[in-house]
Amino acid sequence: MILVLAGGVGAARFIEGLVQVVPPESITAVVNTGDDMELHGLRISPDLDIVTCTLADLIDREQGWGIVGDTSECMSWLMKLGGPGWFKLGDRDLALHIRRTAMLREGSTLSEVTNSFCQSLGVAVKIMPMSDDPVPTHIITDTGEVHFEEYFVRRRAQDAVRGVRYVGVEAARPAPGLLDLIATAEAILIAPSNPVVSIGPILAIPGVRAAILASSAPVITVSPIVGGAPIKGPAAPLMRAVGLEVSAVGAAQAYAGLLDGIVIDRVDAHLAPQIAALGLRVAVTDTIMRGPLEKANLSRVALQLAKAHPAAV
Ligand code: FO1
């Protein structure tokens, strides 16, 4: 079984490549829930929905989030009635949040809700939250602490980032079965997601980092930073805020101690010796996931790097 630590858009696209290379049933995606929030009285899980809807081929590929062809009748009325309008929720998208909120209220866990959505939407990859406990990611700015989505979407990432806090992470339990999956995985792939607000929360869940260190599975990541910048999203200010260089080297250092190898883009080939000096195996390829072929190739390269690892089965 291949375990993928996943955030949102970049991770979803990476897994779309993986399912072309290995059977979907052999993949488990552990997804960040730090972006989760309550809005309009609804429980919203952006990264879980992005991964689920992408793998169900229902995602709006322009945006990378939301449902393809969705309408916004409900949103326009919510705003007419004075509801918040900064986080765009389509009509079909809202069905996910309404159903999730109802199931949670009836006693289901977030893992059960996510599993149920995968069944309903025909997703063969197993998708699970990092935890069933809330661990909202807050961004510390000069004017106070705000939820990540407030920082990123509502305030358009304009605030200077002074720090990041995974609220309640000390009390959060790994999702049911997660530690066993880490212990028994053939390979652990850290998707090209934001190291600070997408992968960081997963690694901060008590027990996860220790389980990865104890696992014999090779740990491989794909750098989300190409040519000194992320493909999309706020990785640059967030990496700087936690003292990481915004480069493929910084991406390698983000997971210091856990990684066996990293896939970097051709434009960063000159950084390979510096990264190898960290004790990592380095593969260089085209990491920009333009289409299905590039996605499949990227996964193939990552898996080859995993197999090259002495502990690989
Ligand atoms: N991102 C935006 O920049 N603007 C939005 O209005 C927005 C709405 C939204 C609705 C549902 C959903 O699942 C994701 C949504 N996102 C939106 C994406 C989200 O802010 C981030 O891209 C992820 O949380 C980061 O991985």
Side-chain angles (χ1 to χ4, degrees):
M1 188 277 306
I2 291 165
L3 192 62
V4 184
L5 306 191
V9 181
R13 290 184 175 146
F14 176 68
I15 301 170
E16 280 194 302
L18 205 51
V19 296
Q20 297 179 56
V21 180
V22 296
E25 296 76 16
S26 69
I27 303 166
T28 297
V30 186
V31 179
N32 167 48
T33 59
D35 298 1
D36 291 18
M37 61 178 163
E38 185 149 316
L39 211 55
H40 311 288
L42 299 172
R43 295 282 300 275
I44 298 172
S45 297
D47 283 353
L48 280 168
D49 288 348
I50 288 168
V51 174
T52 303
C53 293
T54 299
L55 295 177
D57 197 16
L58 292 169
I59 202 78
D60 177 323
R61 292 194 177 278
E62 293 298 304
Q63 292 179 144
W65 47 267
I67 310 290
V68 62
D70 210 346
T71 45
S72 51
E73 289 305 303
C74 189
M75 195 72 224
S76 58
W77 270 73
L78 281 166
M79 289 165 73
K80 192 194 297 278
L81 296 167
W86 58 274
F87 200 71
K88 300 303 173 208
L89 295 163
D91 297 326
R92 296 178 195 164
D93 199 7
L94 278 162
L96 291 164
H97 315 310
I98 293 167
R99 183 73 185 124
R100 176 183 299 113
T101 304
M103 287 179 75
L104 290 172
R105 198 167 289 162
E106 287 155 14
S108 293
T109 63
L110 186 57
S111 294
E112 289 163 345
V113 171
T114 306
N115 201 32
S116 166
F117 283 14
C118 284
Q119 308 296 324
S120 305
L121 300 176
V123 176
V125 170
K126 179 163 172 44
I127 301 173
M128 61 192 295
M130 65 189 193
S131 172
D132 284 335
D133 302 317
V135 188
T137 298
H138 282 194
I139 305 298
I140 300 156
T141 73
D142 291 334
T143 52
E145 212 174 285
V146 289
H147 184 279
F148 168 73
E149 294 288 8
E150 186 103 15
Y151 155 78
F152 177 53
V153 179
R154 188 174 197 176
R155 302 163 68 100
R156 303 194 185 291
Q158 295 306 305
D159 296 275
V161 179
R162 300 295 176 219
V164 180
R165 196 157 77 87
Y166 309 134
V167 178
V169 72
E170 305 76 19
R173 291 155 294 175
L178 176 54
L179 298 185
D180 288 346
L181 286 167
I182 293 171
T184 57
E186 278 171 64
I188 298 173
L189 305 182
I190 302 181
S193 297
N194 185 315
V196 181
V197 293
S198 295
I199 304 299
I202 302 173
L203 297 177
I205 301 286
V208 168
R209 186 176 281 272
I212 293 174
L213 286 169
S215 172
S216 61
V219 182
I220 305 296
T221 194
V222 175
S223 174
I225 306 296
V226 174
I231 303 302
K232 75 181 282 185
L238 290 162
M239 286 176 78
R240 274 194 284 274
V242 299
L244 287 170
E245 193 184 304
V246 185
S247 69
V249 177
Q253 288 167 334
Y255 311 127
L258 297 176
L259 279 186
D260 297 296
I262 182 169
V263 183
I264 65 175
D265 194 86
R266 292 191 200 291
V267 302
D268 295 316
H270 62 289
L271 297 173
Q274 193 181 341
I275 297 171
L278 299 172
L280 299 183
R281 292 171 174 279
V282 186
V284 180
T285 191
D286 175 7
T287 63
I288 310 296
M289 296 181 276
R290 288 178 195 82
L293 289 179
E294 291 86 355
K295 292 174 187 172
N297 171 65
L298 182 56
S299 286
R300 234 175 249 114
V301 170
L303 287 173
Q304 275 156 12
L305 205 53
K307 285 191 174 50
H309 184 67
V313 290

